[in-house]
Amino acid sequence: MFTGIIEGLGTITAVRTEGTNRHFTVASPFFSELQIDQSVAHDGVCLTVVALDAMAGTHTVTAIDETLQKTNLGSWAEGRQVNLERCLAANGRFDGHIVQGHVDLTAVCESVEDQNGSWLYRFRHATGPGRVTVEKGSICVNGVSLTCFNSTDDGFSVAIIPYTHEHTTFQHLQPGDRVNLEFDIVGKYVAKLLGR
């Protein structure tokens, strides 16, 4: 389980396809603390560390076809930066919200507005069961726990403070880019019970 509080930015150093799987090698600021079989969220996608390279300071994760189809990982290439978060320690603070690392679908960034001290982003997504946002509710965008507003059936807005802009991939996000969305798990359960 994760909380959507990004620990650092990783850089993809290699991409290798094997059958329907894709292996991503990532350089990260906390490489030395990782272990084989550990879960790490990459842009909100929970992936298992399958290899470590101490000389290069990198770890490798594998995405299966299902993951490639439902996330933006299929477009990842060398040089891309990704948001990284290790799973929540049992004695850690719960600073964000409950994030599983199970992306529901991708959304498109419709607009980015510089508000002279913060940034306003608007996202559009396909409608469907469990794809629910509420005013001032939680949403996970590329692994970042955020509060949404201007919520509609197929979209929402978020405001990004300077710290988040500087320390996540939001600094690179442009209109037209695809992002990974994970809707609030509590909201998804309520929506299922209500038949939405």
Side-chain angles (χ1 to χ4, degrees):
M1 187 180 74
F2 307 93
T3 67
I5 304 300
I6 302 305
E7 293 185 87
L9 289 173
T11 302
I12 297 174
T13 61
V15 180
R16 181 171 61 89
T17 300
E18 182 180 29
T20 59
N21 296 338
R22 198 163 297 171
H23 308 286
F24 299 98
T25 300
V26 184
S28 79
F30 47 76
F31 158 79
S32 61
E33 301 174 50
L34 297 180
Q35 299 176 356
I36 299 290
D37 207 29
Q38 186 172 7
S39 294
V40 179
H42 297 67
D43 269 7
V45 183
C46 179
L47 298 169
T48 301
V49 175
V50 297
L52 295 168
D53 184 335
M55 292 290 291
T58 61
H59 68 275
T60 299
V61 292
T62 301
I64 62 173
D65 187 59
E66 168 77 3
T67 303
L68 296 171
Q69 295 300 321
K70 290 200 173 170
T71 68
N72 65 8
L73 272 67
S75 66
W76 285 9
E78 289 182 28
R80 180 190 179 103
Q81 285 193 307
V82 294
N83 297 318
L84 298 176
E85 181 191 358
R86 289 169 291 178
C87 53
L88 177 67
N91 64 347
R93 283 194 168 89
F94 207 100
D95 292 321
H97 73 280
I98 299 172
V99 176
Q100 295 182 300
H102 303 160
V103 170
D104 292 298
L105 78 166
T106 59
V108 174
C109 177
E110 285 197 322
S111 62
V112 180
E113 182 182 339
D114 186 337
Q115 298 193 311
N116 193 27
S118 64
W119 288 263
L120 182 66
Y121 293 79
R122 179 73 188 172
F123 297 98
R124 181 85 48 199
H125 60 80
T127 59
R131 299 171 184 176
V132 178
T133 58
V134 296
E135 289 293 308
K136 310 306 180 189
S138 296
I139 187 73
C140 189
V141 179
N142 275 355
V144 183
S145 174
L146 297 166
T147 301
C148 55
F149 57 96
N150 293 336
S151 176
T152 63
D153 288 343
D154 65 350
F156 60 91
S157 298
V158 295
I160 304 297
I161 63 172
Y163 183 89
T164 302
H165 191 267
E166 180 182 348
H167 291 90
T168 71
T169 58
F170 269 94
Q171 62 188 284
H172 306 303
L173 196 59
Q174 298 294 323
D177 288 349
R178 288 206 161 269
V179 297
N180 297 318
L181 288 189
E182 182 182 330
F183 294 93
D184 182 23
I185 185 62
V186 177
K188 287 191 282 189
Y189 275 116
V190 171
K192 184 173 178 64
L193 288 171
L194 296 176
R196 290 188 58 196

